[in-house]
Amino acid sequence: MPVIADARKLTESLSDPEGPFQQTLKQGHEVVSRMPAIAEKTGEVLQQTQQAVKTIESGAAATIQKAGQTIDTVAQAAPAVIEKVQQAADTSQKASAEMRAMVAQAGERLPGVLDQVQAAATQTNQMVSNARQTWPISLLTGTPTTPQSLPIDSIGGLPLPGESP
């Protein structure tokens, strides 16, 4: 009898509309009834996620391709650029060495050149001074002159008046 009484209680409990079993069934039914909407929403989210992943993949692939092209271009141009920089450095070193040699050479020659310039300036001053004292220029410049006689042999081969040439 106790088993039958327990079975009767269990049956009553299962058939009670406000009982825990019936409430669990109602909630289960509600969950199951929402499953197609949840499945549809989940499908939409998955589809959007797949589209986003495809977009990211294609963008990443394009970026990687462009980066590869840039690296290839730099790798191809680098040896020529490095060679030109090396040539420029070599040229600069040669020019610097030549300039040092020229400066050293000029430093050695400069005192002699300055002596020659000084001598030429002295001679030029003497010539100008002598020219000012000659008869026609001294009259034009107002330079006082001291009369001097010419040496006898200064007339050299000039014909005397009345002589034929």
Side-chain angles (χ1 to χ4, degrees), residues 27-106:
Q27 289 174 359
H29 181 54
E30 286 178 24
V31 169
V32 169
S33 68
R34 285 192 229 151
M35 284 303 248
I38 291 172
E40 183 179 337
K41 197 65 166 167
T42 303
E44 289 176 11
V45 169
L46 286 175
Q47 190 175 24
Q48 290 173 352
T49 304
Q50 286 175 343
Q51 187 62 34
V53 167
K54 284 180 184 177
T55 303
I56 290 170
E57 285 177 348
S58 66
T63 302
I64 290 171
Q65 183 180 11
K66 286 181 183 179
Q69 290 172 347
T70 302
I71 290 170
D72 289 344
T73 302
V74 169
Q76 289 174 358
V81 170
I82 291 170
E83 184 178 337
K84 289 189 187 249
V85 168
Q86 185 63 40
Q87 288 174 351
D90 292 345
T91 302
S92 176
Q93 286 177 344
K94 287 177 186 175
S96 178
E98 289 175 5
M99 183 62 82
R100 281 193 293 269
M102 288 171 49
V103 166
Q105 196 175 39

Coordinates of all heavy atoms in Angstrom, one line a residue, residues 27-106:
Q27 N 8.0 25.5 -19.0 CA 9.3 26.3 -19.3 C 10.1 25.6 -20.4 O 10.6 26.2 -21.2 CB 10.1 26.4 -18.0 CG 9.5 27.3 -17.0 CD 10.3 27.4 -15.7 OE1 11.3 26.6 -15.5 NE2 9.9 28.2 -14.7
G28 N 10.1 24.3 -20.3 CA 10.7 23.5 -21.4 C 10.1 23.8 -22.7 O 10.8 23.9 -23.8
H29 N 8.7 23.8 -22.7 CA 8.0 24.1 -24.0 C 8.3 25.5 -24.5 O 8.5 25.7 -25.7 CB 6.5 23.9 -23.7 CG 5.6 24.2 -24.9 ND1 5.8 23.5 -26.1 CD2 4.6 25.0 -25.1 CE1 5.0 24.0 -27.0 NE2 4.2 24.9 -26.4
E30 N 8.4 26.5 -23.6 CA 8.7 27.9 -24.0 C 10.1 27.9 -24.6 O 10.4 28.6 -25.6 CB 8.6 28.8 -22.7 CG 7.2 29.1 -22.3 CD 7.2 30.0 -21.1 OE1 8.2 30.7 -20.8 OE2 6.2 30.0 -20.4
V31 N 11.1 27.2 -24.0 CA 12.4 27.2 -24.5 C 12.4 26.6 -25.8 O 13.1 27.1 -26.8 CB 13.4 26.5 -23.5 CG1 14.7 26.2 -24.1 CG2 13.6 27.3 -22.2
V32 N 11.7 25.4 -26.0 CA 11.7 24.7 -27.3 C 11.0 25.6 -28.3 O 11.4 25.7 -29.5 CB 11.0 23.4 -27.1 CG1 10.7 22.7 -28.5 CG2 11.8 22.4 -26.3
S33 N 10.0 26.4 -27.9 CA 9.3 27.2 -28.9 C 10.2 28.4 -29.3 O 10.0 28.9 -30.4 CB 8.0 27.7 -28.3 OG 8.2 28.6 -27.2
R34 N 11.1 28.8 -28.5 CA 12.0 29.9 -28.8 C 13.2 29.4 -29.6 O 14.0 30.1 -30.2 CB 12.5 30.6 -27.6 CG 11.5 31.5 -27.0 CD 12.2 32.3 -25.9 NE 11.4 32.3 -24.7 CZ 11.8 32.5 -23.5 NH1 13.1 32.7 -23.3 NH2 11.1 32.4 -22.4
M35 N 13.4 28.1 -29.7 CA 14.6 27.5 -30.3 C 14.7 27.9 -31.8 O 15.8 28.2 -32.2 CB 14.6 26.0 -30.2 CG 15.0 25.5 -28.8 SD 16.6 26.1 -28.4 CE 17.5 24.6 -28.4
P36 N 13.7 27.9 -32.6 CA 13.8 28.4 -34.0 C 14.3 29.8 -34.1 O 15.2 30.1 -34.9 CB 12.5 28.2 -34.6 CG 11.8 27.2 -33.8 CD 12.3 27.4 -32.4
A37 N 13.8 30.7 -33.3 CA 14.3 32.1 -33.3 C 15.7 32.2 -32.8 O 16.5 32.9 -33.4 CB 13.3 32.9 -32.4
I38 N 16.0 31.4 -31.8 CA 17.4 31.4 -31.3 C 18.3 30.8 -32.4 O 19.4 31.4 -32.7 CB 17.6 30.6 -30.0 CG1 16.9 31.4 -28.9 CG2 19.0 30.4 -29.6 CD1 16.7 30.6 -27.6
A39 N 17.9 29.8 -33.0 CA 18.7 29.2 -34.1 C 18.9 30.1 -35.3 O 20.0 30.3 -35.8 CB 18.0 27.9 -34.5
E40 N 17.8 30.8 -35.6 CA 17.9 31.8 -36.7 C 18.8 32.9 -36.4 O 19.6 33.3 -37.2 CB 16.5 32.3 -37.0 CG 16.4 33.3 -38.2 CD 15.0 33.8 -38.5 OE1 14.0 33.1 -38.1 OE2 15.0 34.9 -39.1
K41 N 18.7 33.5 -35.1 CA 19.6 34.6 -34.7 C 21.0 34.1 -34.7 O 21.9 34.8 -35.1 CB 19.1 35.0 -33.3 CG 19.6 36.4 -33.0 CD 19.1 37.4 -33.9 CE 19.3 38.8 -33.3 NZ 19.0 39.8 -34.3
T42 N 21.2 32.9 -34.2 CA 22.6 32.3 -34.1 C 23.1 32.1 -35.6 O 24.3 32.4 -35.8 CB 22.6 30.9 -33.4 OG1 22.0 31.1 -32.1 CG2 23.9 30.3 -33.3
G43 N 22.3 31.7 -36.5 CA 22.7 31.6 -37.9 C 23.1 32.9 -38.5 O 24.1 33.0 -39.2
E44 N 22.3 34.0 -38.2 CA 22.6 35.3 -38.7 C 24.0 35.8 -38.1 O 24.8 36.3 -38.8 CB 21.5 36.3 -38.3 CG 20.2 36.1 -39.0 CD 19.1 37.1 -38.5 OE1 19.5 38.0 -37.7 OE2 18.0 36.9 -38.9
V45 N 24.2 35.6 -36.8 CA 25.4 36.0 -36.2 C 26.6 35.2 -36.8 O 27.6 35.8 -37.1 CB 25.4 35.8 -34.6 CG1 26.7 36.0 -34.0 CG2 24.4 36.8 -34.0
L46 N 26.4 33.9 -37.0 CA 27.5 33.2 -37.6 C 27.8 33.6 -39.1 O 28.9 33.7 -39.5 CB 27.1 31.7 -37.6 CG 27.2 30.9 -36.3 CD1 26.7 29.5 -36.4 CD2 28.6 30.9 -35.8
Q47 N 26.7 34.0 -39.8 CA 26.9 34.4 -41.2 C 27.6 35.8 -41.2 O 28.5 36.0 -42.0 CB 25.5 34.6 -41.9 CG 25.6 34.8 -43.3 CD 24.2 34.8 -44.0 OE1 23.2 35.1 -43.3 NE2 24.2 34.5 -45.3
Q48 N 27.2 36.7 -40.3 CA 27.9 38.0 -40.2 C 29.4 37.8 -39.8 O 30.3 38.5 -40.3 CB 27.2 38.9 -39.2 CG 25.9 39.4 -39.7 CD 25.1 40.1 -38.6 OE1 25.5 40.2 -37.4 NE2 24.0 40.7 -38.9
T49 N 29.6 36.9 -38.9 CA 31.0 36.6 -38.4 C 31.8 36.0 -39.6 O 33.0 36.4 -39.8 CB 31.0 35.6 -37.2 OG1 30.2 36.1 -36.2 CG2 32.4 35.3 -36.7
Q50 N 31.2 35.1 -40.4 CA 31.9 34.6 -41.5 C 32.3 35.7 -42.5 O 33.3 35.7 -43.1 CB 31.1 33.5 -42.2 CG 31.1 32.2 -41.4 CD 30.1 31.2 -42.0 OE1 29.3 31.5 -42.9 NE2 30.3 29.9 -41.6
Q51 N 31.3 36.6 -42.8 CA 31.5 37.7 -43.7 C 32.7 38.6 -43.2 O 33.5 39.0 -44.0 CB 30.2 38.5 -43.9 CG 30.3 39.5 -45.0 CD 30.6 38.9 -46.4 OE1 30.2 37.8 -46.7 NE2 31.4 39.6 -47.2
A52 N 32.6 38.9 -41.9 CA 33.7 39.7 -41.3 C 35.0 39.0 -41.4 O 36.0 39.7 -41.8 CB 33.4 40.0 -39.9
V53 N 35.1 37.7 -41.2 CA 36.4 37.0 -41.3 C 36.8 37.0 -42.8 O 38.0 37.2 -43.0 CB 36.2 35.6 -40.8 CG1 37.4 34.7 -41.2 CG2 36.0 35.6 -39.3
K54 N 35.9 36.9 -43.7 CA 36.3 36.9 -45.1 C 36.9 38.3 -45.5 O 37.9 38.4 -46.2 CB 35.1 36.6 -46.0 CG 34.8 35.1 -46.1 CD 33.6 34.9 -47.0 CE 33.2 33.4 -47.0 NZ 32.0 33.2 -47.8
T55 N 36.2 39.3 -45.0 CA 36.7 40.7 -45.3 C 38.1 40.9 -44.7 O 39.0 41.5 -45.4 CB 35.7 41.7 -44.7 OG1 34.4 41.5 -45.3 CG2 36.1 43.1 -45.0
I56 N 38.2 40.5 -43.5 CA 39.6 40.6 -42.8 C 40.6 39.8 -43.6 O 41.7 40.3 -43.8 CB 39.5 40.2 -41.3 CG1 38.6 41.2 -40.6 CG2 40.8 40.0 -40.7 CD1 38.3 40.8 -39.2
E57 N 40.3 38.6 -44.0 CA 41.2 37.7 -44.7 C 41.6 38.4 -46.0 O 42.8 38.4 -46.4 CB 40.6 36.4 -45.0 CG 40.6 35.5 -43.8 CD 39.9 34.1 -44.1 OE1 39.3 34.0 -45.2 OE2 40.0 33.2 -43.3
S58 N 40.6 38.9 -46.8 CA 40.9 39.5 -48.1 C 41.8 40.8 -47.9 O 42.7 41.0 -48.6 CB 39.7 39.8 -48.9 OG 38.9 40.8 -48.2
G59 N 41.4 41.6 -46.8 CA 42.3 42.8 -46.5 C 43.7 42.4 -46.1 O 44.6 43.0 -46.6
A60 N 43.8 41.4 -45.3 CA 45.1 40.9 -44.9 C 45.9 40.4 -46.0 O 47.1 40.7 -46.2 CB 45.0 39.9 -43.8
A61 N 45.2 39.7 -46.9 CA 45.9 39.1 -48.1 C 46.4 40.2 -49.0 O 47.6 40.2 -49.5 CB 45.0 38.2 -48.9
A62 N 45.6 41.3 -49.2 CA 46.0 42.4 -50.0 C 47.2 43.2 -49.4 O 48.1 43.5 -50.1 CB 44.8 43.3 -50.3
T63 N 47.1 43.4 -48.1 CA 48.1 44.0 -47.4 C 49.4 43.3 -47.4 O 50.5 43.8 -47.7 CB 47.7 44.3 -45.9 OG1 46.5 45.0 -45.9 CG2 48.8 45.0 -45.1
I64 N 49.3 42.0 -47.2 CA 50.5 41.1 -47.3 C 51.1 41.1 -48.7 O 52.3 41.2 -48.9 CB 50.2 39.7 -46.8 CG1 50.0 39.7 -45.3 CG2 51.3 38.7 -47.2 CD1 49.4 38.4 -44.8
Q65 N 50.3 41.1 -49.7 CA 50.7 41.2 -51.1 C 51.5 42.5 -51.4 O 52.5 42.5 -52.0 CB 49.6 41.0 -52.1 CG 50.0 41.0 -53.5 CD 48.8 40.8 -54.5 OE1 47.7 40.9 -54.1 NE2 49.1 40.5 -55.7
K66 N 50.9 43.6 -51.0 CA 51.5 44.9 -51.2 C 52.8 45.0 -50.4 O 53.8 45.6 -50.9 CB 50.5 46.0 -50.7 CG 49.4 46.3 -51.7 CD 48.5 47.4 -51.3 CE 47.3 47.5 -52.2 NZ 46.4 48.6 -51.8
A67 N 52.8 44.5 -49.2 CA 54.0 44.5 -48.4 C 55.1 43.7 -49.1 O 56.3 44.1 -49.2 CB 53.8 44.0 -47.0
G68 N 54.7 42.6 -49.7 CA 55.7 41.7 -50.4 C 56.2 42.4 -51.6 O 57.4 42.4 -51.9
Q69 N 55.3 43.1 -52.3 CA 55.8 43.9 -53.5 C 56.8 45.0 -53.1 O 57.8 45.3 -53.8 CB 54.6 44.5 -54.3 CG 53.7 43.5 -55.0 CD 52.4 44.1 -55.5 OE1 52.1 45.2 -55.2 NE2 51.7 43.3 -56.3
T70 N 56.4 45.7 -52.0 CA 57.3 46.8 -51.5 C 58.7 46.2 -51.1 O 59.7 46.8 -51.5 CB 56.6 47.5 -50.3 OG1 55.4 48.0 -50.7 CG2 57.5 48.6 -49.8
I71 N 58.6 45.1 -50.4 CA 59.9 44.5 -50.0 C 60.7 44.1 -51.2 O 61.9 44.3 -51.3 CB 59.6 43.3 -49.1 CG1 59.1 43.9 -47.7 CG2 60.9 42.5 -48.9 CD1 58.6 42.8 -46.8
D72 N 60.0 43.5 -52.3 CA 60.7 43.1 -53.5 C 61.3 44.3 -54.2 O 62.5 44.3 -54.6 CB 59.8 42.4 -54.4 CG 59.4 41.0 -54.0 OD1 60.0 40.5 -53.1 OD2 58.4 40.5 -54.5
T73 N 60.6 45.4 -54.2 CA 61.1 46.6 -54.9 C 62.3 47.2 -54.1 O 63.3 47.5 -54.7 CB 60.0 47.7 -54.9 OG1 58.9 47.2 -55.6 CG2 60.5 49.0 -55.6
V74 N 62.2 47.2 -52.8 CA 63.3 47.7 -52.0 C 64.5 46.8 -52.2 O 65.7 47.2 -52.3 CB 62.9 47.8 -50.5 CG1 64.1 48.1 -49.6 CG2 61.9 48.9 -50.4
A75 N 64.3 45.5 -52.2 CA 65.4 44.5 -52.3 C 66.1 44.6 -53.7 O 67.3 44.5 -53.8 CB 64.8 43.1 -52.1
Q76 N 65.3 44.9 -54.7 CA 65.9 45.1 -56.1 C 66.6 46.4 -56.2 O 67.7 46.5 -56.8 CB 64.8 45.1 -57.1 CG 64.2 43.7 -57.3 CD 63.0 43.8 -58.3 OE1 62.6 44.8 -58.8 NE2 62.4 42.6 -58.6
A77 N 66.1 47.5 -55.5 CA 66.7 48.8 -55.6 C 67.9 49.0 -54.7 O 68.8 49.8 -54.9 CB 65.7 49.9 -55.4
A78 N 67.9 48.2 -53.6 CA 68.9 48.4 -52.5 C 70.4 48.3 -53.1 O 71.2 49.1 -52.8 CB 68.7 47.5 -51.4
P79 N 70.7 47.3 -53.8 CA 72.1 47.2 -54.3 C 72.6 48.4 -55.1 O 73.7 48.9 -54.9 CB 72.1 45.9 -55.1 CG 71.0 45.1 -54.6 CD 69.9 46.1 -54.2
A80 N 71.7 48.9 -56.0 CA 72.1 50.0 -56.8 C 72.2 51.3 -55.9 O 73.2 52.0 -56.1 CB 71.0 50.3 -57.9
V81 N 71.3 51.4 -55.0 CA 71.4 52.6 -54.1 C 72.7 52.5 -53.2 O 73.4 53.5 -53.1 CB 70.2 52.7 -53.2 CG1 70.4 53.7 -52.1 CG2 69.0 53.0 -54.0
I82 N 73.0 51.3 -52.7 CA 74.2 51.1 -51.9 C 75.4 51.4 -52.7 O 76.4 52.1 -52.3 CB 74.2 49.7 -51.3 CG1 73.1 49.6 -50.2 CG2 75.5 49.4 -50.7 CD1 72.9 48.2 -49.7
E83 N 75.4 50.9 -54.0 CA 76.6 51.2 -54.9 C 76.8 52.7 -55.1 O 77.9 53.2 -55.1 CB 76.4 50.4 -56.2 CG 77.6 50.5 -57.1 CD 77.4 49.7 -58.4 OE1 76.6 48.8 -58.4 OE2 78.1 50.1 -59.3
K84 N 75.7 53.4 -55.4 CA 75.8 54.8 -55.6 C 76.3 55.6 -54.4 O 77.1 56.5 -54.5 CB 74.4 55.4 -56.1 CG 74.1 54.9 -57.5 CD 72.9 55.6 -58.0 CE 72.5 55.0 -59.4 NZ 72.7 55.8 -60.5
V85 N 75.8 55.2 -53.2 CA 76.3 55.8 -52.0 C 77.7 55.5 -51.8 O 78.5 56.4 -51.5 CB 75.4 55.3 -50.8 CG1 76.1 55.7 -49.5 CG2 74.0 55.8 -50.8
Q86 N 78.2 54.3 -52.1 CA 79.6 54.0 -52.0 C 80.4 54.8 -53.0 O 81.5 55.3 -52.7 CB 79.8 52.5 -52.2 CG 81.2 52.0 -52.0 CD 81.7 52.2 -50.6 OE1 80.9 51.9 -49.7 NE2 82.9 52.6 -50.4
Q87 N 79.9 54.9 -54.2 CA 80.6 55.7 -55.2 C 80.7 57.2 -54.8 O 81.8 57.8 -54.9 CB 79.9 55.6 -56.6 CG 80.1 54.3 -57.3 CD 79.2 54.2 -58.6 OE1 78.4 55.1 -58.8 NE2 79.5 53.1 -59.3
A88 N 79.6 57.7 -54.2 CA 79.7 59.1 -53.8 C 80.7 59.2 -52.6 O 81.4 60.2 -52.6 CB 78.3 59.5 -53.3
A89 N 80.7 58.3 -51.7 CA 81.7 58.3 -50.6 C 83.1 58.3 -51.2 O 84.0 59.0 -50.7 CB 81.4 57.2 -49.7
D90 N 83.4 57.4 -52.2 CA 84.7 57.3 -52.8 C 85.1 58.6 -53.5 O 86.2 59.1 -53.3 CB 84.7 56.1 -53.8 CG 84.6 54.8 -53.1 OD1 84.8 54.7 -51.9 OD2 84.4 53.8 -53.8
T91 N 84.1 59.2 -54.2 CA 84.4 60.4 -54.9 C 84.7 61.5 -53.9 O 85.6 62.3 -54.1 CB 83.2 60.8 -55.8 OG1 82.9 59.7 -56.7 CG2 83.4 62.1 -56.5
S92 N 83.9 61.6 -52.8 CA 84.2 62.6 -51.8 C 85.5 62.4 -51.2 O 86.2 63.4 -50.9 CB 83.1 62.5 -50.7 OG 83.3 63.3 -49.7
Q93 N 85.9 61.2 -50.9 CA 87.3 60.9 -50.3 C 88.4 61.4 -51.3 O 89.3 62.0 -50.9 CB 87.4 59.5 -50.0 CG 86.6 59.0 -48.7 CD 86.8 57.6 -48.5 OE1 87.2 56.8 -49.3 NE2 86.4 57.2 -47.3
K94 N 88.2 61.0 -52.6 CA 89.2 61.4 -53.6 C 89.3 63.0 -53.7 O 90.4 63.5 -53.7 CB 88.9 60.8 -54.9 CG 89.1 59.4 -55.1 CD 88.7 58.8 -56.4 CE 88.8 57.3 -56.5 NZ 88.3 56.8 -57.8
A95 N 88.1 63.6 -53.7 CA 88.1 65.1 -53.8 C 88.8 65.7 -52.6 O 89.5 66.7 -52.7 CB 86.7 65.6 -54.0
S96 N 88.5 65.1 -51.4 CA 89.1 65.6 -50.2 C 90.6 65.5 -50.2 O 91.4 66.4 -49.8 CB 88.5 64.9 -49.0 OG 89.1 65.3 -47.8
A97 N 91.1 64.3 -50.7 CA 92.5 64.1 -50.8 C 93.2 65.0 -51.8 O 94.3 65.6 -51.5 CB 92.8 62.6 -51.2
E98 N 92.5 65.3 -52.9 CA 93.1 66.2 -53.9 C 93.1 67.6 -53.3 O 94.1 68.3 -53.6 CB 92.2 66.1 -55.2 CG 92.4 64.9 -56.0 CD 91.5 64.8 -57.2 OE1 90.8 65.7 -57.5 OE2 91.5 63.7 -57.9
M99 N 92.1 68.0 -52.6 CA 92.0 69.3 -52.0 C 93.1 69.5 -51.0 O 93.8 70.5 -51.0 CB 90.6 69.6 -51.4 CG 90.5 70.9 -50.8 SD 90.6 72.2 -52.0 CE 88.9 72.2 -52.6
R100 N 93.4 68.5 -50.2 CA 94.5 68.6 -49.2 C 95.8 68.7 -49.9 O 96.7 69.5 -49.5 CB 94.5 67.3 -48.3 CG 93.4 67.4 -47.2 CD 93.7 66.3 -46.2 NE 93.5 64.9 -46.7 CZ 92.4 64.3 -46.7 NH1 91.3 64.8 -46.1 NH2 92.3 63.0 -47.2
A101 N 96.0 68.0 -51.0 CA 97.2 68.0 -51.8 C 97.4 69.4 -52.4 O 98.5 70.0 -52.3 CB 97.3 67.0 -52.9
M102 N 96.3 70.0 -52.9 CA 96.4 71.3 -53.5 C 96.7 72.4 -52.5 O 97.5 73.3 -52.7 CB 95.1 71.6 -54.2 CG 94.8 70.9 -55.5 SD 93.2 71.0 -56.2 CE 92.9 72.8 -56.2
V103 N 96.1 72.3 -51.3 CA 96.4 73.2 -50.2 C 97.8 73.1 -49.8 O 98.5 74.1 -49.6 CB 95.4 73.0 -49.0 CG1 95.8 73.7 -47.8 CG2 94.0 73.4 -49.4
A104 N 98.3 71.9 -49.6 CA 99.7 71.7 -49.2 C 100.6 72.3 -50.3 O 101.6 73.0 -50.0 CB 100.0 70.2 -49.0
Q105 N 100.3 72.1 -51.6 CA 101.2 72.6 -52.7 C 101.1 74.1 -52.7 O 102.1 74.8 -52.9 CB 100.7 72.0 -54.0 CG 101.6 72.1 -55.1 CD 101.1 71.4 -56.4 OE1 99.9 71.4 -56.6 NE2 102.0 70.8 -57.1
A106 N 99.9 74.7 -52.5 CA 99.8 76.1 -52.5 C 100.5 76.7 -51.3 O 101.1 77.8 -51.4 CB 98.3 76.5 -52.5

